[in-house]
Amino acid sequence: MDAQGRGRADDIDPADQWVLNPDTGEYELRLAPSAAQSSVPGPRGPGGRGTTGTGGAAGTRRTAPARRSGAAPGAEAPSPRRRTNAPAEAAAGRRGRRPVQKKTKGKKVLIWTGGTLAFVLVATSGAAYLYYEHLNNNITSVSDDGAGTGGFSKDRAINILLVGTDKRTGKGNEGYGDKNSSGHADTTLVLHVSKDRSNATVLSIPRDLITDIPDCPTTQEDGSEKVIPGKQRTRFNNSLGQEERTPSCTMRTITELTGLKMDHFMVADFNAVKTLTSAVGGVDVCLAKDIKDPDSKLDLPKGEHTIEGEEALAFVRTRHSVGFGGDLSRIELQQQFLGSMLRKLKSNDTLTDPSKMIKLAEAGTKALTVDDRISTIKKLSDLGAELGKFDTKNLTFATVPVVDNPAEKIKATVVLKEPQAQQLFAMVRDDVSLTEVKQEKKKEKAAEAARLKGTKAPASEVRVRILNGGAVAGSAQETLSWLQVQEGVTKSENSGNAEQPLAKTTLEYGPDEADQARRLAEIMGLSGAALKPGKSVTNSQGVPAMTLTLGKDFEGAGVPLTTPEKVPEDVQKATADKVECAK
């Protein structure tokens, strides 16, 4: 995103104004007695960050959050003496009230970028409220154009699209190739956090993957909508920046490719890598050999290093000097970098340093373009509270399996490697962890497996109603014909469409129908997770029957719906808790 206009030379670093109060043992935000006004800015006037302008990916807009109802424009700042006496004051418009002091634990805000990620702690002490509006004004947001789910939920898995763009415009992005480039989806990650928050998966999508980009309805700056035509058989990285495509188009492309619908997106440019790594105090990396890459400008000897700023950007951009010298090798390098940064950010050295956390909050909110559904600190904090629950050892990085494009003589692009790619997508869609998880998850899996064990009724005794709950039109009738003609399930009927669409196919049955459910599961290739013990319903003949609802995952009669339990052997993956040296 465009970094222009992000700060003024006379701004005071907020991190320098947190001091330890010897009476309370807590850090407080203090201002110099001679200060004429608060150094923590509220919404800025014309020309400041709070005004509407351009930034981020092509077509992005910077929007200022609405002023709180209690904050009057031009309200007089509290006197220096009053600031000194009060350990913490409320935001503008609430100066007459002492905020309730909360525990210093704070809230975790997880901020991801395409080239880096960071846990940012936004303290919930009273002093942090002074800082709230300032951080809100840092945030750049863009419409998701209806491409997402409408927002994450605490009772289901979360999917976040993380994009690093190679856009060359904006302060801090000069000197990297084509200075006029509108950018591409240069580094693309899909973060999936499990429903029970015990584990997470990060899928890396190769930028040179040949795929289809769907038509993209896109909100224009004047509020109107423009449909950007799709493109068949093109590089994945063309889903952003090119032909005025915004991040919502990349969201649609991901859904078309993987079957995963995104809840939110976060986009960062080159400058974000530099500012965030500097804010955290550098990221530890390890090289198995000397690297001197004139293209990325990385020049480091073999061994361990702590890198930040320009050097960190050079590290995540280098590819010609690692592995096979291509984008897939660079992806592995970036995954190692992300794992290292996550370990650094979750260390006590970072989480217990108020100055460092404030710098991270500053850098993180300025570095990212997010969708308009998480465009405030409060919403980011709520999202971060969910994303921060999984253990680092249960965060797995995996690269989508690909092979060289067979249609090319000179290999420049890749295509999906089948069936491995679809197996990996299915595991993520069905919330299957790519690594071992805690005992509760194992118990749940054991319970699901137990549903498939036991006697099975003959096919002729299976009585089932079939509903279409999101599959393609005609799927219920197709399944009925297949079950009756080929599988001998003659006591079956087509009951039309379900009231609500389902992502996954389910089979609900009563307590005395378990043997019928096991037989139908065997015939259709249903997993234990698809079997839902409940109650039977009356069919058109007036007798009890099970209910089979075909979800969006249904691919046709006779196509098994069992989700793989293990990652295909040739899928490249690594966990975030392990230290590895780039080769």
Side-chain angles (χ1 to χ4, degrees):
M1 78 185 119
D2 195 333
Q4 293 176 344
R6 279 193 178 148
R8 298 175 301 180
D10 58 348
D11 280 345
I12 300 174
D13 186 348
D16 295 336
Q17 301 191 325
W18 287 78
V19 297
L20 181 67
N21 186 330
D23 296 327
T24 64
E26 297 184 356
Y27 283 89
E28 298 174 357
L29 186 64
R30 296 289 183 82
L31 304 179
S34 60
Q37 60 183 10
S38 170
S39 69
V40 182
R44 297 183 183 174
R49 291 186 53 85
T51 59
T52 302
T54 58
T60 62
R61 297 185 305 283
R62 182 177 301 282
T63 57
R67 185 183 297 271
R68 292 190 177 186
S69 58
E76 182 181 354
S79 67
R81 179 176 58 80
R82 186 172 181 179
R83 288 197 191 101
T84 302
N85 291 340
E89 301 262 342
R94 300 176 58 189
R95 286 195 293 271
R97 300 168 55 190
R98 288 179 62 87
V100 177
Q101 293 291 333
K102 299 185 179 181
K103 296 181 180 180
T104 56
K105 260 185 180 179
K107 288 186 178 180
K108 291 179 181 177
V109 177
L110 180 64
I111 292 184
W112 285 75
T113 74
T116 187
L117 68 144
F119 279 103
V120 177
L121 182 71
V122 177
T124 54
S125 65
Y129 287 108
L130 286 171
Y131 203 40
Y132 181 87
E133 291 297 334
H134 169 61
L135 291 178
N136 270 341
N137 287 342
N138 286 345
I139 299 172
T140 299
S141 65
V142 182
S143 175
D144 73 354
D145 298 315
T149 61
F152 77 96
S153 174
K154 293 183 178 182
D155 59 356
R156 57 178 171 80
I158 298 175
N159 294 312
I160 310 292
L161 170 64
L162 315 166
V163 181
T165 175
D166 57 356
K167 183 178 179 181
R168 263 67 172 185
T169 59
K171 184 177 180 181
N173 295 319
E174 310 92 339
Y176 303 105
D178 180 7
K179 65 180 180 179
N180 297 316
S181 173
S182 58
H184 303 75
D186 191 53
T187 299
T188 302
L189 308 172
V190 174
L191 167 64
H192 171 87
V193 181
S194 66
K195 179 180 178 180
D196 66 1
R197 308 298 187 253
S198 68
N199 65 91
T201 299
V202 176
L203 285 182
S204 293
I205 312 294
R207 67 179 186 180
D208 296 324
L209 173 65
I210 295 298
T211 189
D212 295 336
I213 299 176
D215 291 346
C216 300
T218 306
T219 304
Q220 304 299 294
E221 291 196 22
D222 61 2
S224 63
E225 184 179 281
K226 173 183 177 181
V227 177
I228 301 175
K231 196 168 185 178
Q232 306 298 306
R233 307 299 296 166
T234 187
R235 278 180 167 87
F236 175 86
N237 67 353
N238 289 324
S239 65
L240 176 66
Q242 306 306 296
E243 299 177 43
E244 299 184 338
R245 294 189 179 96
T246 65
S248 66
C249 192
T250 307
M251 289 180 90
R252 297 182 194 278
T253 305
I254 286 289
T255 300
E256 183 111 335
L257 177 69
T258 68
L260 289 164
K261 193 158 187 178
M262 300 294 100
D263 295 299
H264 301 287
F265 65 72
M266 297 181 180
V267 181
D269 64 4
F270 289 144
N271 204 43
V273 181
K274 296 185 288 185
T275 58
L276 284 169
T277 52
S278 295
V280 78
V283 176
D284 299 328
V285 298
C286 179
L287 298 178
K289 63 180 181 180
D290 297 345
I291 291 183
K292 190 168 185 177
D293 185 350
D295 292 319
S296 70
K297 299 180 176 61
L298 180 65
D299 187 357
L300 286 175
K302 174 182 177 181
E304 298 180 355
H305 305 274
T306 300
I307 59 176
E308 63 178 272
E310 291 283 354
E311 197 167 48
L313 178 59
F315 185 88
V316 298
R317 291 185 66 229
T318 192
R319 60 191 177 102
H320 298 302
S321 301
V322 293
F324 296 103
D327 187 52
L328 296 182
S329 297
R330 186 183 67 154
I331 285 175
E332 291 187 41
L333 191 75
Q334 290 175 343
Q335 291 173 346
Q336 294 168 19
F337 179 85
L338 293 173
S340 177
M341 189 166 189
L342 180 57
R343 293 192 298 271
K344 177 70 173 288
L345 291 162
K346 296 195 74 173
S347 69
N348 287 334
D349 179 59
T350 300
L351 295 178
T352 59
D353 186 335
S355 176
K356 188 174 291 185
M357 297 314 299
I358 293 299
K359 289 179 180 178
L360 275 169
E362 284 286 326
T365 52
K366 290 178 181 178
L368 301 176
T369 296
V370 301
D371 67 87
D372 55 356
R373 301 183 188 277
I374 48 170
S375 58
T376 68
I377 291 298
K378 176 62 169 64
K379 292 177 181 178
L380 283 171
S381 179
D382 290 344
L383 175 60
E386 296 301 307
L387 300 184
K389 291 179 179 178
F390 60 84
D391 194 307
T392 306
K393 67 181 180 181
N394 291 331
L395 170 62
T396 306
F397 294 100
T399 303
V400 172
V402 294
V403 294
D404 287 334
N405 188 348
E408 296 176 335
K409 291 183 178 180
I410 299 177
K411 304 304 180 185
T413 62
V414 294
V415 296
L416 292 178
K417 183 177 184 179
E418 304 292 12
Q420 290 88 338
Q422 297 307 322
Q423 291 171 350
L424 181 59
F425 296 155
M427 291 184 71
V428 179
R429 285 196 306 268
D430 291 346
D431 215 15
V432 177
S433 176
L434 303 194
T435 186
E436 290 294 328
V437 293
K438 58 185 181 180
Q439 191 64 30
E440 289 81 355
K441 189 75 172 180
K442 293 181 180 179
K443 290 181 180 178
E444 180 183 342
K445 290 296 182 183
E448 292 173 355
R451 296 171 195 163
L452 298 173
K453 297 178 181 179
T455 59
K456 299 180 180 69
S460 59
E461 295 182 9
V462 173
R463 188 176 286 107
V464 60
R465 300 165 60 246
I466 305 170
L467 299 174
N468 190 329
V472 298
S475 293
Q477 185 59 43
E478 176 193 0
T479 301
L480 176 66
S481 300
W482 174 72
L483 287 174
Q484 290 185 341
V485 176
Q486 298 188 40
E487 301 297 332
V489 184
T490 55
K491 297 178 181 179
S492 52
E493 63 181 42
N494 181 353
S495 297
N497 294 326
E499 293 183 2
Q500 298 291 335
L502 298 178
K504 301 175 184 178
T505 297
T506 62
L507 175 63
E508 185 175 3
Y509 55 96
D512 58 347
E513 297 171 327
D515 57 342
Q516 295 182 46
R518 286 190 285 267
R519 175 61 68 191
L520 190 59
E522 179 184 62
I523 293 172
M524 295 197 62
L526 299 176
S527 67
L531 271 59
K532 306 295 181 183
K535 60 181 181 180
S536 59
V537 296
T538 302
N539 65 10
S540 61
Q541 302 300 315
V543 294
M546 301 183 295
T547 300
L548 174 67
T549 305
L550 306 178
K552 295 179 182 179
D553 62 338
F554 182 77
E555 297 181 0
V559 180
L561 290 167
T562 304
T563 303
E565 293 295 327
K566 294 183 179 180
V567 182
E569 292 185 359
D570 52 355
V571 172
Q572 180 276 322
K573 69 184 186 74
T575 54
D577 62 324
K578 295 181 179 178
V579 179
E580 298 187 31
C581 294
K583 300 178 181 179

